[in-house]
């Protein structure tokens, strides 16, 4: 039997690398019938280009223009709001790049204009598409996903609404569903019988202490049950003062140090951005929290935690323990205290 | 398999469309009508190679169609520059699930189709340089090819990774045998793809070992020791010789196939060709196997050609073959139904001809059809005696036989002039028909009116003297009795008996006329035909 062709796609390059690494680890290489491709690269190559002449007379669309990277991104966004859909400048820069927040819109319209050729072609290429980190999808991506759900292709998408740290674009379309609210969009699609939602509220990675701590960030979502029953003698959430960090690192065998961004002061210790750590598993982590995170740790009020997805991701990287460097007497009564 | 080829602004082709058969395609046409260019273009679009090298290295102004180049250069001179012309070659392929990723509508016809396109277009990054250049209009006499880039995309407008495609192309050009170092590119490719992975590895390992053994040889060690002493003049480094074992040099470039222990290059051109064609035909079948053969008749003896053609016929199943030829023999052997006639930037197949004419040529696929196709100009006559007399008339007037001027005299069996005229009309061939008037020249004119009306290249020559309905009475009417007696070596007493004799011995008399030294007068309609 002919091997079926499969696409595995996700938004961030970090995650893409992890997926590739997974295949290499399991089988030595990515099998020939499996394509691992970033969401944007897939959109451009298989969505935008093959039938672009149904949308514009212009030449080949070269690449994607990320508005965020423009000099005056705010102004540009405003300006674009006033270019009509009928004008291809709505989608394309002068140099024939396509705006990142219009890619999926372009594909949806192009599919309509060509009477479904875009999707038909994809159906002939791929039997299944696997999407990872679904919570990152936003704007017209959701419309395109719905079209894909209704195609002959089997779609399996996984995501964690609590980990919505990125967004594929900032289009105003479907804004009400952005980030952790993607769950309500999925519910709506499910009610049209286009998909089936399977909730998995189990964690293979984190122990129950970590799950409980993380769940409190999203009180509206169902609680998580840990499948990691392994105890090490230092399990759960801990608080440290600055002067304890050195000792802690050597005592607990170099936990992975996480920071919000490169601007975070990590006392000179080499650290990884929380965003980059997404999808990874570590034994133990040591987190340098932001001011809002600190506020949350003190008050327990999720609305004060700032970017709570980032905090959620940081904590849930660890199998056994997550320690915060807080330098605040009220939290750190004793050495390496647990909650 | 290739369904359709589109070529724009490449060499002789301005805009050119060609539909292909799924199996065998025989391209026939005059010299310089672009048979080779079509094969070259297909090869270029499928491999990105021209003359065995990547097109980037072979990009010259001369690849551009002359007419489009002139239009452009004229516009520069006038100071109203037109955009730089672009070369486009598009191959429209049959539906094939393995090539689905090449599907899209990004082709000149906006057709949703699997396909490959190669475009030679202006590189926008040179915009400023180019704008400077055209300000000094005197400097441009050729297309500035250095400002161009190559784009090689599928109809999905994404770059092509041809290695991953289940497409095989073999290009056998018998007119020029290209051999670079060692085995030539196509031959290499054929051998390589015919070996399985294990065999390839074994071959590479054996080759590497050979290189090692070479440097271990006592004599080589000695030589290298001597060479080491030569240092100092240019460099202080040790000089030695060894076989190149870098990645660049592998067995493909250094091993040469042998045939009966003769190195491939030393085999005659014809055999080299035949071998290459055979190898290509024997290749493991993949989904799409395309074989281009340029003039297989070249350098081959008649008997080897016969073997080769038979082989092509046997082995072509499941492969698409495009063959160009000048040989009536090749065409006749491979079948007229596969014929594609090339003429004036246009093509035609038998499909374009009226149904009954198609049938006629399928039943009677003589050489004569192709003679018409290949001739610069043709004179169609009614039978062997007319043929001889017309040739004689031509020779008398031009001091040469018509064929020496590219004019073919074709004797048409069974009075099927109109069949031939259908082809002539389609090909816009210069054709003269020499016909009897059968006692009613107006009827003849009426019969051919549809052809003479639709083409000014078709000319009908018949006598308007209804009292001499065929050739023989025409000849007796315009020549004196004693002249005819002399030519025929007879002594007839009157015109009637010589006419009867000639009618009964048509061919014999025509031969005598053809061979005679006597001066003879030809009827006006024949003189008209050979003018």
């Amino acid at each position: 039997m002919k091997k079926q062709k499969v696409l595995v796609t996700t938004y961030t390059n970090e995650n893409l690398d992890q997926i590739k690494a997974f295949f290499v680890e399991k089988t030595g290489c990515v099998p020939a019938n499996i394509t691992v491709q970033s969401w944007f690269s897939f959109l451009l190559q298989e969505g935008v280009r093959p039938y672009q002449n149904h949308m514009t007379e212009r030449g080949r669309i070269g690449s994607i223009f990320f508005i965020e990277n423009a000099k005056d991104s705010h102004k540009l966004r405003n300006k674009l709001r006033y270019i009509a859909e009928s004008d291809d400048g709505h989608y394309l820069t002068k140099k024939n790049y396509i705006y990142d927040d219009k890619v999926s819109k372009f594909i949806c319209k192009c599919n309509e204009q060509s009477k479904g050729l875009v999707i038909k072609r994809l159906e002939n290429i791929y039997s299944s598409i696997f999407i990872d980190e679904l919570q990152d999808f936003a704007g017209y991506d959701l419309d395109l996903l719905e079209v894909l759900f209704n195609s002959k292709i089997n779609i399996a998408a996984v995501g964690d609404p609590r980990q919505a740290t990125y967004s594929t674009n900032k289009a105003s379309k479907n804004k009400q569903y952005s980030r952790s609210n993607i769950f309500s969009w999925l519910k709506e699609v499910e009610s049209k019988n286009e998909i089936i939602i399977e909730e998995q509220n189990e964690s293979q990675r984190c122990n129950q202490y970590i799950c409980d701590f993380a769940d409190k960030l999203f009180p509206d979502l169902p609680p998580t049950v840990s499948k990691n029953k392994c105890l090490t003698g230092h399990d759960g959430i801990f608080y440290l003062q600055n002067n304890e960090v050195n000792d802690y690192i050597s005592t607990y065998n170099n936990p992975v140090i996480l920071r919000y961004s490169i601007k975070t002061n990590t006392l000179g210790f080499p650290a990884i951005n929380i965003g980059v750590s997404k999808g990874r598993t570590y034994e133990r982590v040591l987190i340098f929290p932001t001011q809002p995170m600190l506020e949350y740790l003190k008050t327990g009020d999720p609305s004060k935690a700032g970017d709570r997805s980032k905090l959620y991701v940081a904590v849930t990287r660890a199998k056994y323990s997550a320690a915060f460097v807080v330098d605040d007497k009220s939290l750190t009564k004793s050495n390496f205290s647990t909650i | 398999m290739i369904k359709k080829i589109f070529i724009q602004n490449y060499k002789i082709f301005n805009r050119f469309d060609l539909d292909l058969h799924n199996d065998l395609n025989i391209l026939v046409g005059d010299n310089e009508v672009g048979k080779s260019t079509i094969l070259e273009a297909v090869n270029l679009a499928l491999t990105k190679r021209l003359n065995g090298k990547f097109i980037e290295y072979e990009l010259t102004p001369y690849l551009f169609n002359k007419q489009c180049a002139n239009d452009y250069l004229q516009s520069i001179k006038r100071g109203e520059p037109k955009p730089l012309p672009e070369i486009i070659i598009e191959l429209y392929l049959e539906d094939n699930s393995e090539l689905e990723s090449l599907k899209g509508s990004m082709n000149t016809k906006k057709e949703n189709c699997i396909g490959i396109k190669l475009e030679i277009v202006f590189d926008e990054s040179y915009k400023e340089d180019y704008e400077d250049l055209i300000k000094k209009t005197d400097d441009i006499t050729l297309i500035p090819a250095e400002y161009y880039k190559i784009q090689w995309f599928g109809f999905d407008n994404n770059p092509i990774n041809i290695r991953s495609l289940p497409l095989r192309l073999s290009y056998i050009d018998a007119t020029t045998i290209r051999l670079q170092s060692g085995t030539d590119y196509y031959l290499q490719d054929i051998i390589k793809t015919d070996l399985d992975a294990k065999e390839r590895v074994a071959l590479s390992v054996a080759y590497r070992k050979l290189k090692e053994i070479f440097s271990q040889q006592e004599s080589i060690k000695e030589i290298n020791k001597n060479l080491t002493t030569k240092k100092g003049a240019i460099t202080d480094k040790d000089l030695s010789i060894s076989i190149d074992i870098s990645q660049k040099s592998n067995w493909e470039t250094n091993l040469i196939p042998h045939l009966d222990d003769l190195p491939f290059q030393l085999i005659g051109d014809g055999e080299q060709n035949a071998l290459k064609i055979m190898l290509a035909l024997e290749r493991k079948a993949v989904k799409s196997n395309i074989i281009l053969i340029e003039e297989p008749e070249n350098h081959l003896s008649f008997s080897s050609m016969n073997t080769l053609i038979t082989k092509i016929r046997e082995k072509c199943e499941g492969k698409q073959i495009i063959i160009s030829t000048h040989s009536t023999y090749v065409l006749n052997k491979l079948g007229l139904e596969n014929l594609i006639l090339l003429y004036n930037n246009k093509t035609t197949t038998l499909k374009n001809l009226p149904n009954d004419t198609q049938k006629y040529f399928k039943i009677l696929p003589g050489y004569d059809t192709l003679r018409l196709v290949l001739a610069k100009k043709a004179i169609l006559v009614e039978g062997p005696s007319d043929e001889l007399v017309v040739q004689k008339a031509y020779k008398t007037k031009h001091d040469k036989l018509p064929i020496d001027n590219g004019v073919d005299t074709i004797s048409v069996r069974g009075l099927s002039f109109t069949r031939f005229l259908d082809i002539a009309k389609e090909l816009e061939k210069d054709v003269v028909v020499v016909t009897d008037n059968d006692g009613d020249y107006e009827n003849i004119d009426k019969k051919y009116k549809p052809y003479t009306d639709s083409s000014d290249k078709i000319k009908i020559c018949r006598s308007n003297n209804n009292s001499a309905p065929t050739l023989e009475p025409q000849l007796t009417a315009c020549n004196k009795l004693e002249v005819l007696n002399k030519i025929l070596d007879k002594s007839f007493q009157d015109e009637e008996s010589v006419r009867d004799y000639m009618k009964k011995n048509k061919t014999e008399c025509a031969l005598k006329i053809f061979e005679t030294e006597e001066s003879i007068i030809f009827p006006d309609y024949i003189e008209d035909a050979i003018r």
Side-chain angles (χ1 to χ4, degrees):
Chain A
M1 200 186 81
K2 217 187 105 198
K3 271 193 185 168
Q4 297 193 317
K5 275 203 83 183
V6 170
L7 171 76
V8 183
T9 184
T10 188
Y11 170 52
T12 63
N13 286 328
E14 283 84 14
N15 194 30
L16 206 65
D17 290 343
Q18 286 177 37
I19 293 169
K20 280 185 195 156
F22 173 82
F23 279 114
V24 172
E25 192 189 307
K26 295 280 174 192
T27 67
C29 66
V30 179
N33 62 320
I34 298 179
T35 307
V36 181
Q37 194 175 25
S38 83
W39 177 243
F40 270 128
S41 148
F42 165 73
L43 291 184
L44 182 66
Q45 193 178 315
E46 313 295 356
V48 173
R49 282 181 187 150
Y51 297 101
Q52 70 169 72
N53 53 5
H54 287 86
M55 290 286 286
T56 170
E57 290 298 308
R58 295 211 225 163
R60 181 173 182 265
I61 295 173
S63 189
I64 292 173
F65 185 88
F66 293 93
I67 299 179
E68 203 79 346
N69 299 345
K71 235 197 252 155
D72 230 331
S73 62
H74 195 68
K75 252 191 194 162
L76 178 61
R77 240 181 254 284
N78 268 333
K79 200 184 95 189
L80 288 174
R81 223 160 266 164
Y82 299 102
I83 303 181
E85 268 178 34
S86 51
D87 181 344
D88 56 17
H90 182 76
Y91 302 97
L92 303 174
T93 69
K94 282 205 182 86
K95 282 192 169 167
N96 249 6
Y97 282 28
I98 186 163
Y99 294 115
D100 59 346
D101 60 348
K102 302 282 172 38
V103 181
S104 285
K105 182 177 185 181
F106 184 95
I107 297 169
C108 287
K109 300 270 173 198
C110 182
N111 189 50
E112 280 167 31
Q113 293 282 323
S114 66
K115 302 204 169 66
L117 287 181
V118 179
I119 296 297
K120 210 156 149 201
R121 176 175 176 278
L122 283 175
E123 287 175 337
N124 286 332
I125 298 176
Y126 290 117
S127 57
S128 309
I129 297 180
F130 292 91
I131 298 167
D132 195 12
E133 308 287 4
L134 180 68
Q135 74 278 357
D136 295 339
F137 287 66
Y140 279 94
D141 285 349
L142 303 187
D143 292 28
L144 180 59
L145 281 176
E146 215 176 326
V147 176
L148 284 171
F149 290 153
N150 285 311
S151 75
K152 280 190 215 153
I153 308 168
N154 303 312
I155 312 280
V158 294
D160 183 349
R162 286 168 279 221
Q163 294 190 43
T165 52
Y166 291 107
S167 191
T168 49
N169 64 73
K170 283 192 172 167
S172 50
K173 172 89 178 173
N174 292 326
K175 206 166 187 175
Q176 70 276 25
Y177 301 128
S178 71
R179 304 231 158 178
S180 32
N181 294 326
I182 194 161
F183 200 68
S184 32
W185 174 75
L186 287 170
K187 283 279 183 208
E188 273 177 38
V189 181
E190 190 185 36
S191 71
K192 289 188 250 173
N193 286 326
E194 289 170 358
I195 56 166
I196 297 165
I197 300 176
E198 245 178 65
E199 284 180 54
Q200 270 192 347
N201 296 310
E202 286 174 355
S203 169
Q204 303 294 331
R205 181 191 295 139
C206 312
N207 61 31
Q208 194 63 53
Y209 303 113
I210 297 173
C211 291
D212 290 346
F213 176 87
D215 280 347
K216 284 188 191 133
L217 281 161
F218 298 92
D220 297 341
L221 296 174
T224 311
V225 178
S226 168
K227 292 280 165 186
N228 174 12
K229 303 290 182 207
C230 178
L231 291 176
T232 63
H234 179 71
D235 308 286
I237 307 295
F238 301 90
Y239 299 107
L240 307 180
Q241 296 198 21
N242 285 355
N243 55 18
E244 295 167 323
V245 173
N246 223 347
D247 269 358
Y248 187 86
I249 288 173
S250 51
T251 311
Y252 293 105
N253 201 14
N254 293 316
V256 173
I257 302 173
L258 297 176
R259 65 181 179 206
Y260 186 79
S261 76
I262 194 161
K263 288 175 193 152
T264 313
N265 175 15
T266 60
L267 307 175
F269 292 103
I272 297 172
N273 286 355
I274 295 169
V276 176
S277 77
K278 206 161 133 182
R280 297 197 182 156
T281 298
Y282 306 122
E283 308 264 297
R284 307 181 187 284
V285 296
L286 179 62
I287 302 162
F288 284 86
T290 59
Q291 205 51 49
M293 287 179 193
L294 209 56
E295 198 60 32
Y296 169 74
L297 294 178
K298 279 190 216 161
T299 61
D301 178 358
S303 67
K304 291 188 173 150
D307 195 345
R308 45 182 180 156
S309 289
K310 281 271 164 73
L311 180 53
Y312 180 87
V313 169
V315 179
T316 55
R317 290 316 89 201
K319 284 159 88 170
Y320 309 118
S321 69
F324 291 95
V325 182
V326 291
D327 214 16
D328 187 313
K329 288 273 167 10
S330 69
L331 282 167
T332 57
K333 284 169 260 142
S334 64
N335 270 4
F336 317 156
S337 60
T338 172
I339 305 180
Chain B
M1 305 292 170
I2 304 170
K3 277 197 302 196
K4 193 159 59 178
I5 303 170
F6 172 73
I7 303 174
Q8 180 185 300
N9 291 341
Y10 184 67
K11 295 198 173 169
I12 194 166
F13 298 113
N14 195 312
R15 283 182 76 82
F16 176 75
D17 286 289
L18 175 62
D19 292 320
L20 291 178
H21 306 121
N22 237 335
D23 39 16
L24 196 54
N25 297 275
I26 309 166
L27 298 176
V28 170
D30 262 347
N31 284 323
E32 311 294 316
V33 293
K35 296 191 299 291
S36 318
T37 308
I38 293 174
L39 299 190
E40 195 179 277
V42 172
N43 184 55
L44 179 55
L46 280 177
T47 65
K48 215 180 163 210
R49 283 170 188 265
L50 182 65
N51 307 330
K53 296 191 199 98
F54 282 118
I55 173 74
E56 279 87 347
Y57 306 110
E58 296 281 297
L59 187 53
T60 68
Y62 305 104
L63 295 184
F64 289 83
N65 176 267
K66 251 189 208 146
Q67 192 195 322
C68 85
N70 282 341
D71 281 357
Y72 164 76
L73 295 171
Q74 291 297 329
S75 76
I76 296 289
K77 270 206 190 97
R78 283 198 311 271
E80 305 155 352
K82 284 187 180 172
L84 278 162
E86 298 180 343
I87 291 177
I88 300 174
I89 301 169
E90 292 177 338
L91 305 181
Y92 295 73
L93 306 179
E94 287 243 302
D95 260 351
N96 173 345
S97 61
E98 291 183 47
L99 298 175
E100 194 68 28
S101 63
L102 295 177
K103 194 180 240 181
S105 61
M106 301 307 294
N107 47 61
T108 47
K109 302 190 193 312
K110 279 199 178 190
E111 211 173 280
N112 180 33
C113 184
I114 293 175
I116 292 173
K117 56 179 177 177
L118 185 126
E119 298 168 329
I120 304 178
V121 296
F122 176 56
D123 185 344
E124 293 287 339
S125 59
Y126 293 124
K127 203 166 175 232
E128 282 173 27
D129 297 351
Y130 173 68
E131 275 163 3
D132 270 2
L133 179 83
I134 53 171
K135 273 181 205 148
K136 310 171 212 154
T137 50
D138 294 349
D139 285 341
I140 307 182
T141 50
L142 288 170
I143 299 267
E146 59 277 19
Y147 294 112
Y148 277 76
K149 65 177 175 186
I150 312 295
Q151 295 186 349
W152 198 32
F153 296 134
F155 285 175
D156 59 332
N157 233 4
N158 289 303
I160 283 179
N161 180 3
I162 203 79
R163 274 163 190 273
S164 64
L165 297 178
L167 267 176
R168 282 274 168 285
L169 178 80
S170 316
Y171 182 25
I172 297 134
D173 179 357
T175 50
T176 51
I177 305 272
R178 262 182 250 105
L179 279 174
Q180 287 113 16
S181 58
T183 317
D184 91 337
Y185 168 71
Y186 301 103
L187 195 57
Q188 264 178 38
D189 200 43
I190 290 166
I191 293 175
K192 234 183 348 194
T193 49
D194 231 39
L195 300 176
D196 66 31
K198 256 192 190 158
E199 289 169 327
R200 277 200 302 255
V201 171
L203 187 55
S204 301
V205 169
Y207 180 63
R208 232 156 251 270
K209 272 217 182 100
L210 180 78
K211 291 197 263 193
E212 281 164 27
I213 292 167
F214 178 82
S215 55
Q216 299 301 317
Q217 293 269 325
E218 278 309 314
S219 54
I220 299 300
K221 275 189 185 166
E222 196 61 32
I223 288 168
N224 278 339
K225 214 189 275 168
N226 283 338
L227 281 173
T228 320
T229 62
K230 301 259 180 351
K231 69 179 174 186
I234 309 165
T235 169
D236 282 337
K237 293 186 176 120
D238 281 350
L239 180 67
S240 67
I241 56 165
S242 169
I243 299 182
D244 183 2
I245 52 162
S246 61
Q247 267 308 322
K248 265 191 301 181
S249 108
N250 38 24
W251 66 267
E252 294 98 326
T253 51
N254 288 312
L255 299 187
I256 294 166
H258 286 54
L259 207 62
D260 276 349
D261 280 340
L262 265 182
F264 190 72
Q265 287 101 320
L266 297 185
I267 302 166
D269 285 352
E271 288 234 83
Q272 284 193 22
N273 264 327
L275 181 68
K276 282 205 254 176
I277 298 174
M278 301 283 207
L279 280 169
L281 288 168
E282 296 286 352
R283 280 175 111 169
K284 283 172 195 155
V286 285
K287 263 250 165 95
S288 261
N289 210 333
I290 298 159
I291 301 175
L292 311 175
I293 307 174
E294 179 129 20
E295 297 180 18
E297 65 269 23
N298 272 6
H299 312 289
L300 276 184
S301 69
F302 189 78
S303 66
S304 336
M305 183 165 82
N306 192 17
T307 325
L308 186 65
I309 299 299
T310 313
K311 202 91 188 171
I312 292 175
R313 259 192 94 89
E314 281 169 9
K315 297 279 177 179
C316 67
E317 202 184 319
K319 303 181 176 82
Q320 188 176 35
I321 300 181
I322 310 174
I323 236 176
S324 79
T325 187
H326 277 295
S327 155
T328 50
Y329 180 77
V330 171
L331 179 68
N332 207 35
K333 213 50 208 216
L334 290 179
L336 212 55
E337 67 273 19
N338 302 309
L339 173 70
I340 296 170
L341 305 170
L342 233 65
Y343 204 77
N344 283 350
N345 242 320
K346 274 188 277 186
T347 62
T348 187
T349 63
L350 284 183
K351 276 186 208 131
N352 299 8
L353 300 172
N355 266 335
D356 49 344
T357 301
Q358 272 187 52
K359 245 186 235 157
Y360 173 83
F361 284 114
K362 273 186 188 157
I363 298 162
L364 257 179
Y367 297 87
D368 295 344
T369 347
L370 192 66
R371 280 170 62 190
L372 173 68
V373 171
L374 291 177
K376 226 161 70 188
K377 187 178 167 180
I379 302 175
L380 304 180
V381 297
E382 285 198 35
S385 51
D386 298 74
E387 184 181 337
L388 286 166
V389 172
V390 168
Q391 296 222 36
K392 175 71 177 179
Y394 193 97
K395 198 180 174 197
T396 310
K397 184 170 176 94
H398 300 283
D399 216 21
K400 265 185 196 169
L401 280 174
I403 196 70
D404 296 327
N405 285 333
V407 180
D408 206 350
T409 318
I410 303 168
S411 161
V412 176
R413 274 171 295 184
L415 297 179
S416 35
F417 285 123
T418 52
R419 311 286 182 212
F420 283 83
L421 291 180
D422 282 333
I423 294 184
K425 193 171 88 183
E426 194 65 42
L427 294 183
E428 300 172 28
K429 277 271 173 194
D430 269 317
V431 173
V432 180
V433 172
V434 178
T435 176
D436 298 339
N437 65 25
D438 296 330
D440 183 357
Y441 72 87
E442 281 170 328
N443 188 36
I444 296 289
D445 287 352
K446 211 170 96 192
K447 180 179 166 193
Y448 292 111
K449 197 167 186 298
Y451 297 97
T452 43
D453 278 356
S454 59
S455 168
D456 53 5
K457 298 200 164 179
I458 294 174
K459 188 166 138 190
I460 309 295
C461 296
R462 45 80 191 136
S463 164
N464 54 10
N465 176 7
N466 281 343
S467 65
T470 61
L471 176 67
E472 289 74 20
Q474 285 287 344
L475 282 169
T476 54
C478 59
N479 284 286
K480 287 195 179 112
L481 182 62
E482 51 265 39
V483 176
L484 290 173
N485 268 336
K486 220 173 192 176
I487 293 169
L488 302 173
D489 197 16
K490 296 281 172 198
S491 45
F492 293 109
Q493 295 305 308
D494 50 46
E495 195 193 322
E496 201 183 319
S497 37
V498 74
R499 193 169 61 215
D500 284 348
Y501 173 79
M502 284 173 75
K503 272 191 193 164
K504 277 180 194 136
N505 303 280
K506 282 184 183 177
T507 320
E508 195 190 325
C509 295
L511 198 60
K512 287 216 163 111
I513 291 170
F514 185 73
E515 283 168 348
T516 190
E517 303 280 316
E518 296 293 320
S519 68
I520 181 170
I521 297 165
F522 296 99
D524 285 347
Y525 74 101
I526 289 182
E527 288 288 348
D528 189 30
I530 57 159
R531 231 182 311 168

